[in-house]
Amino acid sequence: LVFPKGRYDLFPQTDPKALGAKGDLFSFSHIDGLTVEGNGSTMLFHGISGLMGFGACKNVTVSNLVVYMETAPYSQGVVDAVEGNHFDVKVDEAFPVTGGEAVGAFMDYDRKTGRYLHHGLDEYYTAESTELLGPQLLRVKLNHEARIKPGAGVLLRHQVYGNNAFSFYKCTDVKVQNVTVYCIPGMAVTGTHCTGIDIDRLEVIPRRGSGRMMSATADAVHFGD
């Protein structure tokens, strides 16, 4: 499967505010001897989905692809106020919010250094709802007393797990070569019940100059069983 070099705009038909797995845009099953050649192409998402899923395939090679998202599956900003079980975030203009966004996880970080705070927060599934109070001012309601501090940088992950760039299940002899994942609402490469996954020149990083703090919203790579 050869993609002539270029940009491929992908439009998953999903609700961008929903939290959870959506499946893969490309699915491959029980194929022996499959090569996916990207020729340096960019797969640009305009919605939430995984990219490629492989089930019970053998001798698979995926090479020379870049994965990016037009709208990040997270928001960044500064904590404006904290009271009781909610906190308000002044969200950066590059991350438009309308209220009602799901928050699967959030963490605080140092805006000056761009690094996560030592002994900082990293909470999963404690946010119950979000509400837009004003332009780019988002209230996050929790199921407990808010512990985050006013003035802290905060990253709200609207998506966390389930929408991977490349998922391999019960596959044998897999090669992933020269692949860059700038942004994906899940993990970059996963392997479950697989034998022999060879990774060469994989980058999972925020795109330089984008101002984004995060690439994959979960693990860069994850292998089990």
Side-chain angles (χ1 to χ4, degrees):
L1 174 60
V2 178
F3 291 90
K5 185 173 182 178
R7 190 184 85 182
Y8 293 82
D9 292 276
L10 309 174
F11 293 87
Q13 300 301 306
T14 57
D15 181 357
K17 292 185 179 182
L19 181 65
K22 303 300 177 185
D24 301 306
L25 292 181
F26 299 87
S27 295
F28 307 94
S29 179
H30 295 85
I31 301 176
D32 188 349
L34 171 64
T35 296
V36 179
E37 174 54 58
N39 287 304
S41 295
T42 295
M43 299 296 183
L44 181 62
F45 279 88
H46 300 269
I48 300 296
S49 178
L51 179 57
M52 296 184 182
F54 303 82
C57 294
K58 299 179 181 178
N59 303 306
V60 178
T61 299
V62 179
S63 58
N64 302 309
L65 282 170
V66 177
V67 181
Y68 194 51
M69 298 187 69
E70 181 185 48
T71 301
Y74 53 84
S75 300
Q76 298 168 203
V78 178
V79 177
D80 184 67
V82 180
E83 183 178 356
N85 68 337
H86 66 259
F87 61 93
D88 302 336
V89 181
K90 187 63 176 177
V91 181
D92 296 350
E93 293 294 333
F95 303 86
V97 291
T98 59
E101 288 87 354
V103 176
F106 68 90
M107 61 184 67
D108 50 8
Y109 68 96
D110 188 322
R111 297 274 287 188
K112 292 182 179 179
T113 65
R115 296 181 179 274
Y116 302 122
L117 295 176
H118 187 55
H119 296 309
L121 298 175
D122 188 14
E123 295 194 16
Y124 288 75
Y125 306 113
T126 61
E128 294 186 331
S129 64
T130 60
E131 174 188 358
L132 193 68
L133 302 180
Q136 291 298 102
L137 184 61
L138 194 68
R139 173 162 291 177
V140 181
K141 297 181 181 179
L142 307 177
N143 60 12
H144 63 79
E145 192 85 3
R147 295 179 294 155
I148 200 165
K149 303 299 183 183
V154 64
L155 191 149
L156 309 172
R157 279 184 275 178
H158 306 305
Q159 294 285 330
V160 183
Y161 297 114
N163 304 283
N164 307 320
F166 305 96
S167 301
F168 299 93
Y169 178 72
K170 290 188 176 180
C171 293
T172 303
D173 296 329
V174 173
K175 293 182 179 179
V176 179
Q177 301 173 332
N178 196 30
V179 167
T180 299
V181 178
Y182 287 131
C183 190
I184 195 74
M187 303 183 187
V189 178
T190 67
T192 306
H193 298 297
C194 292
T195 301
I197 297 180
D198 180 21
I199 294 179
D200 182 25
R201 288 165 293 143
L202 169 69
E203 281 193 306
V204 187
I205 57 174
R207 188 172 185 174
R208 294 176 181 88
S210 67
R212 296 182 179 183
M213 285 286 298
M214 182 170 277
S215 50
T217 59
D219 305 2
V221 296
H222 187 102
F223 307 106
D225 304 306

